[in-house]
Amino acid sequence: MHIPDGVLPTAVCLGGYATAGAAAWFSLRKISRQENPREGMPKASLLTAAFLVASWIHIPIPPASVHLMLNGLLGVVLGYYAFPAILIGLFFQAIMFQHGGLTTLGVNATVIGVPALLAFYLFRLRNILGRENRVLTGLFGFLAGGGGIALAAVAAFFILVTTIPAHLDVEAEQASIYALTLAHIPVMILEGVFTAVVAVFLQRVKPELLEG
Amino acid sequence: MKATVTVKYFEEGEVKDGELMMNGMRSFIFLAAIIFLFSLPAAAFGHGVNIEYQTTKAVEFTASYDTGEPVSNGQVTIYSPDDPSTPWKTGQCDEKGRFTFTPDPSMQGTWDIQVRKAGHGGMIHVNVDGEEAVAGSTGYTTTQIVLMVACVVWGLIGTALFFKRRKN
């Protein structure tokens, strides 16, 4: 899901920077309107570290190995801080692990960060049904965690499938993109369960840490 | 995920200009005489084969994911130093992520090689002008990565502690 340098056309890379810039501006504006914008910084900083390290833990599912993304979890715990956190995490991943690249940083931030914001909105829906309900917290945690990955995988799928260069064996490349997208289904379930467990745990121990 | 591409050169004997020289009538008579005289099973001795060869420098590379797994059947695109925007050659790695090609010796400079599979891949720049064989690879070693991660994580923990500090 981290698209590297040299795979996408320049126009798509620029478009990615535009959408990522808009999302970052939106998130930062929402953060600055909060009562105490500094309050969320410690957990945002720590979860950026978790996000950074998580992409290094590989789960071998052919044809490629996939890794934990944690974008849904970041959305649930960080709320509007999730997008800047993901942007910073992706920057370090690009320069240290060569996961993704600097030209595709905007595209990757959009593909991974916007679903994190949507996961946050989804998780917030539990307030309508009852904030204290542990089963509901777990359920919405699962949906947010799994949904974050699912949306990111679908977005990456569309970007990759529509930009295959003509000089490649298009069918072979398409087939491997399909396979890679399907390989994210187990990760989706895994992250859904992980996010649900974290959400239920925080709800019981320190509910103010959960955004929304 | 990334693709690690390692490159090495090796001297490769290449058969070039395989040329068949037929010696025509004289050979035919010679052959017929042998068959006639000795009644041996016929064999086509009559065509002289001339093989010219020259050694050339080839680039072999292996692409693997950072888990060590090979990029099996990854698609290879090679760009020549003269035209870095149009593919000079395309191809496919084998099951073990290997690919070999012979750069055109008339084009000196940096060859760009891209390996791609399912939107993942990497690019390596190989300088083909020296006489000596060289080897190289992309990416960092595990120790380097662990050290960098440790520094960045420590920085992020520091940031967290800074914003967490008690106000006087």
Side-chain angles (χ1 to χ4, degrees), chain B residues 16-37:
Chain B
K16 225 180 171 186
D17 301 333
E19 199 180 296
L20 294 173
M21 293 193 335
M22 303 227 208
N23 292 334
M25 205 58 189
R26 234 173 48 190
S27 308
F28 179 72
I29 295 168
F30 181 57
L31 181 68
I34 288 172
I35 294 167
F36 179 71
L37 285 172

Side-chain angles (χ1 to χ4, degrees), chain A residues 1-7 36 38 41-42 45-46 48-49 52-53 56 58 60 63-65 67 88 92 95-100 160 163-165 167-170 172-173 176-177 180 206, chain B residues 1-3 65-67 69-70 75-77 79 87 90 92 114 116-123 138-140 142 145-146 148-149 152-153 155-165 167:
Chain A
M1 226 169 296
H2 292 63
I3 302 170
D5 287 328
V7 164
N36 183 6
R38 293 166 69 112
M41 286 296 287
S45 186
L46 292 179
T48 308
L52 177 71
V53 176
W56 210 40
H58 292 279
S65 64
H67 51 79
I88 293 165
F92 282 120
I95 55 173
M96 298 197 308
F97 308 149
Q98 283 150 14
H99 288 182
L160 287 174
T163 57
I164 301 173
H167 64 263
L168 292 181
D169 181 348
V170 175
E173 182 66 10
S176 47
I177 294 171
L180 183 72
K206 216 165 168 109
Chain B
M1 183 165 42
K2 61 149 188 183
Y65 295 108
D66 45 11
T67 50
E69 219 181 307
Q75 300 207 42
V76 180
T77 314
Y79 299 91
T90 57
Q92 205 177 42
Q114 192 186 33
R116 168 181 168 142
K117 188 180 182 187
H120 289 77
M123 194 172 226
T138 60
Y140 298 110
T142 310
I145 291 176
V146 168
M148 286 188 293
V149 170
V152 172
V153 167
L156 289 167
I157 291 171
T159 310
L161 292 173
F162 174 78
F163 284 102
K164 193 97 187 146
R165 76 193 190 286
K167 289 188 184 70

Side-chain angles (χ1 to χ4, degrees), chain A residues 193-211:
Chain A
V193 171
F194 184 64
T195 310
V197 168
V198 171
V200 170
F201 175 76
L202 289 180
Q203 180 76 31
R204 193 196 293 176
V205 179
K206 216 165 168 109
E208 67 271 19
L209 274 183
L210 288 173
E211 288 285 329

Side-chain angles (χ1 to χ4, degrees), chain A residues 94-175:
Chain A
I95 55 173
M96 298 197 308
F97 308 149
Q98 283 150 14
H99 288 182
L102 290 180
T103 58
T104 49
L105 183 64
V107 175
N108 288 332
T110 309
V111 162
I112 296 166
V114 173
L117 286 178
L118 295 175
F120 160 58
Y121 288 133
L122 180 70
F123 188 67
R124 219 164 48 167
L125 288 180
R126 85 198 155 104
N127 294 339
I128 302 166
L129 298 161
R131 203 183 167 92
E132 302 305 316
N133 192 328
R134 199 179 298 167
V135 178
L136 275 179
T137 303
L139 180 70
F140 275 93
F142 179 83
L143 290 176
I149 290 283
L151 280 172
V154 168
F157 170 81
F158 277 111
I159 290 172
L160 287 174
V161 155
T162 50
T163 57
I164 301 173
H167 64 263
L168 292 181
D169 181 348
V170 175
E171 273 177 35
E173 182 66 10
Q174 268 176 353

Side-chain angles (χ1 to χ4, degrees), chain B residues 119-139:
Chain B
H120 289 77
M123 194 172 226
I124 190 165
H125 314 285
V126 186
N127 203 11
V128 185
D129 49 10
E131 290 299 310
E132 286 166 27
V134 287
S137 71
T138 60

